[in-house]
């Protein structure tokens, strides 16, 4: 990696760590290989091995997490200290895929695994952190890395309550002072990032309900517990009740994804099932959500003489960006591509287990633009035709390397 690859800062200062063309091409190929071989949460053995091999080839010493997939790798200092100075900045990637088919037509690197796809951009996140690690390792060898950095490749982000908790349990944050991450955003052009101080994602929990009662003939509903009607009332009334029992600004919302009951048109069933999600913009309302939601379900079920079994699965709290770390990302992106490359972004109703790290240390998540400039079609996340403009890999690498260098000046 030559000094000709260094990027100029405004004025006379020079910020090293731009991405050389040879590594750029290698990273695109690495991302495509991951895209062709997606693995679900806690099953990312091939992905983990590929990351480990490339880091070891660069002279680094990655450590696979005790859960069997995912890994961490320190650059500069294994103990999180730099000549007695502050702890490390961590760069986090998530490495798992989704259980959906890849629907991209005529794509040379589409998934080769049936009903598995990197449709949320985790292959891009992984490649960005890998690339940043390789650049930072080179800077360390040249004496240009002022503070240590940890790479965290985390499994199972898509599995509630998220693999971040497992990574933390395995010691991923030991010696870490603050942490940063990116998430692909198909609404933002490649070459740009979106930033927001405070909450940038929402809390997300899973809700599973079983309603029970004596069934019977549809000619005699008065002798039964009419579970179809009960399920319908739970589906419509519970979201309305919940919305009136918390501050409306919290955005607490119950949304159903499945309702199932019965087999015949003239038989009232003995069981009905509903499942969905509970999402919330505000962390305090999220803490209240289980009690509020469960009480609402019981009230509606009791009104229709249905017995309720409720499985409320805690998911993740909102990602709340620390103002100082958000400023670090803003300054890093501005140093690489100018202040106009940073745009404000709104809070998403999506969930992200990066929030568990921020319960422990300050950090920030940036939205990495992956839409080809000028393209009108938005390939949304968690859809089988999702893809990313691969120039975003370069942007992410240079964002992270700049953040690691500027972090030492704060």
């Amino acid at each position: 990696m030559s000094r000709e690859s260094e990027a100029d800062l405004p004025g006379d200062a020079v910020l090293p760590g731009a991405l050389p063309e040879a590594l750029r091409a290698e990273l695109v190929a690495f991302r495509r290989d991951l895209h062709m071989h997606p693995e679900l949460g806690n099953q990312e053995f091939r992905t983990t091995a590929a990351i480990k091999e490339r880091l070891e080839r660069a002279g680094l010493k990655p450590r696979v997490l005790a859960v069997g997939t995912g890994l961490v790798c320190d650059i500069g200092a294994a103990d999180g200290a730099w000549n007695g100075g502050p702890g490390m900045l961590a760069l986090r990637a998530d490495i798992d895929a989704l259980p959906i088919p890849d629907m991209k037509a005529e794509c040379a690197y589409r998934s080769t695994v049936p009903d598995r796809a990197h449709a949320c951009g985790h292959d891009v996140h992984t490649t960005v952190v890998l690339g940043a690690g390789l650049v930072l390792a080179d800077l360390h060898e040249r004496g240009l890395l002022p503070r240590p950095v940890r790479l965290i490749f985390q499994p199972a982000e898509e599995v509630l309550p998220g693999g971040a908790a497992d990574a933390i349990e395995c010691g991923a944050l030991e010696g870490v002072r603050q942490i940063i991450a990116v998430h692909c955003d198909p609404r933002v052009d490649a070459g740009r990032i979106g930033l927001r101080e405070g909450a940038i994602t929402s809390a997300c929990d899973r809700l599973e309900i079983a309603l029970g009662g004596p069934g019977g003939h549809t000619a005699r509903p008065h002798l039964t517990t009419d579970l179809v009607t009960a399920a319908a009332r739970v589906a419509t009334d519970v979201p309305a009740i919940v919305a009136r029992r918390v501050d409306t600004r919290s955005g607490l919302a119950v949304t159903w994804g499945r309702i199932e009951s019965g087999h015949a048109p003239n038989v009232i069933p003995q069981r009905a099932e509903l499942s969905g999600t509970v999402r919330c913009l505000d962390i305090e309302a999220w803490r209240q959500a289980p009690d509020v939601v469960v009480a609402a379900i019981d009230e509606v079920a009791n009104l229709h003489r249905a017995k309720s079994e409720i499985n409320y699965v805690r998911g993740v709290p909102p990602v709340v960006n620390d103002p100082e770390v958000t400023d670090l990302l803003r300054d890093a992106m501005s140093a690489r591509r100018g202040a106009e490359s940073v745009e404000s972004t709104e809070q998403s109703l999506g969930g992200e287990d990066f929030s568990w790290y921020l319960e422990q240390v300050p950090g920030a998540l940036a939205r990495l633009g992956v839409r080809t400039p000028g393209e009108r079609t938005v390939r949304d996340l968690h859809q089988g035709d999702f893809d990313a403009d691969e120039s975003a890999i370069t942007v992410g690498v240079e964002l992270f390397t700049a953040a690691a260098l500027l972090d030492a000046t704060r």
Side-chain angles (χ1 to χ4, degrees):
M1 210 173 292
S2 68
R3 290 185 181 272
E4 284 72 32
S5 68
E6 295 174 354
D8 290 338
L9 278 170
D12 298 326
V14 173
L15 186 68
L19 189 60
E21 184 56 40
L23 182 55
R24 187 195 321 267
E26 179 190 351
L27 292 175
V28 169
F30 188 91
R31 180 259 168 169
R32 292 185 177 189
D33 179 72
L34 294 186
H35 201 85
M36 293 173 67
H37 301 92
E39 297 174 300
L40 299 184
N42 297 315
Q43 302 173 25
E44 312 97 331
F45 298 104
R46 183 186 186 278
T47 303
T48 298
I51 300 166
K52 183 173 182 287
E53 187 278 331
R54 184 61 184 94
L55 292 172
E56 289 177 337
R57 190 149 40 96
L60 299 170
K61 297 179 179 179
R63 308 185 301 279
V64 176
L65 298 178
V67 292
T69 61
L71 63 160
V72 298
C73 183
D74 294 342
I75 302 170
D79 61 359
W82 186 265
N83 296 328
M88 288 181 286
L89 173 71
L91 317 179
R92 175 269 199 171
D94 37 11
I95 65 175
D96 58 325
L98 286 163
I100 64 175
D102 190 335
M103 304 298 292
K104 294 189 295 297
E106 299 180 1
C107 177
Y109 53 86
R110 66 181 296 180
S111 173
T112 61
V113 184
D115 299 321
R116 303 288 185 269
H118 269 294
C120 201
H122 292 189
D123 53 336
V124 174
H125 307 165
T126 299
T127 304
V128 164
V129 173
L130 174 65
L134 297 176
V135 173
L136 292 172
D138 178 78
L139 292 177
H140 174 57
E141 288 296 317
R142 294 159 55 193
L144 297 176
L145 184 64
R147 280 185 184 168
V149 174
R150 172 167 294 167
L151 315 179
I152 300 175
F153 296 92
Q154 173 218 302
E157 190 276 333
E158 298 287 354
V159 181
L160 289 179
D166 291 331
I168 294 169
E169 182 69 21
C170 292
L173 288 182
E174 292 177 6
V176 169
R177 186 182 83 263
Q178 55 190 23
I179 187 169
I180 55 177
V182 294
H183 197 295
C184 290
D185 192 335
R187 302 165 301 171
V188 178
D189 283 350
R192 302 174 65 83
I193 64 169
L195 286 177
R196 177 187 177 89
E197 290 185 9
I200 192 171
T201 70
S202 299
C204 179
D205 299 335
R206 188 171 73 243
L207 185 60
E208 299 169 347
I209 306 169
L211 301 177
H217 200 290
T218 56
R220 293 176 290 278
H222 58 290
L223 302 180
T224 72
T225 294
D226 187 352
L227 287 183
V228 173
T229 297
R233 299 305 303 192
V234 167
T236 57
D237 292 355
V238 167
I241 293 171
V242 167
R244 288 295 178 268
R245 293 192 177 168
V246 295
D247 190 324
T248 55
R249 293 170 295 184
S250 70
L252 183 61
V254 177
T255 306
W256 307 107
R258 184 180 73 92
I259 301 178
E260 185 174 344
S261 185
H263 301 283
N266 62 341
V267 177
I268 294 175
Q270 296 180 340
R271 185 177 176 87
E273 297 179 353
L274 303 90
S275 57
T277 60
V278 180
R279 298 181 186 271
C280 186
L281 299 172
D282 177 72
I283 194 165
E284 292 306 319
W286 177 71
R287 300 189 200 283
Q288 304 171 32
D291 291 340
V292 173
V293 172
V294 168
I297 294 168
D298 284 339
E299 286 180 25
V300 177
N302 290 337
L303 183 63
H304 293 272
R305 298 181 296 170
K307 295 181 180 180
S308 59
E309 299 174 9
I310 303 168
N311 183 23
Y312 193 108
V313 182
R314 263 312 202 190
V316 294
V319 172
V320 181
N321 281 349
D322 177 81
E324 292 185 6
V325 185
T326 304
D327 283 343
L328 172 64
L329 287 172
R330 180 178 292 106
D331 292 345
M333 189 65 176
S334 298
R336 293 295 192 202
R337 298 187 173 246
E340 67 279 1
S341 65
V342 181
E343 62 182 63
S344 297
T345 191
E346 61 186 10
Q347 183 178 4
S348 164
L349 276 169
E352 231 289 355
D353 78 351
F354 185 66
S355 55
W356 290 125
Y357 298 107
L358 304 191
E359 295 277 296
Q360 307 293 322
V361 297
L365 174 79
R367 301 203 182 282
L368 180 67
V370 296
R371 180 179 61 192
T372 300
E375 183 177 357
R376 293 186 177 182
T377 301
V378 176
R379 293 182 174 85
D380 202 7
L381 301 172
H382 288 218
Q383 299 296 319
D385 65 346
F386 173 78
D387 203 358
D389 186 316
E390 291 173 321
S391 67
I393 295 171
T394 299
V395 177
V397 170
E398 295 187 353
L399 169 68
F400 278 166
T401 55
L405 294 169
L406 293 177
D407 180 50
T409 67
R410 294 169 183 261

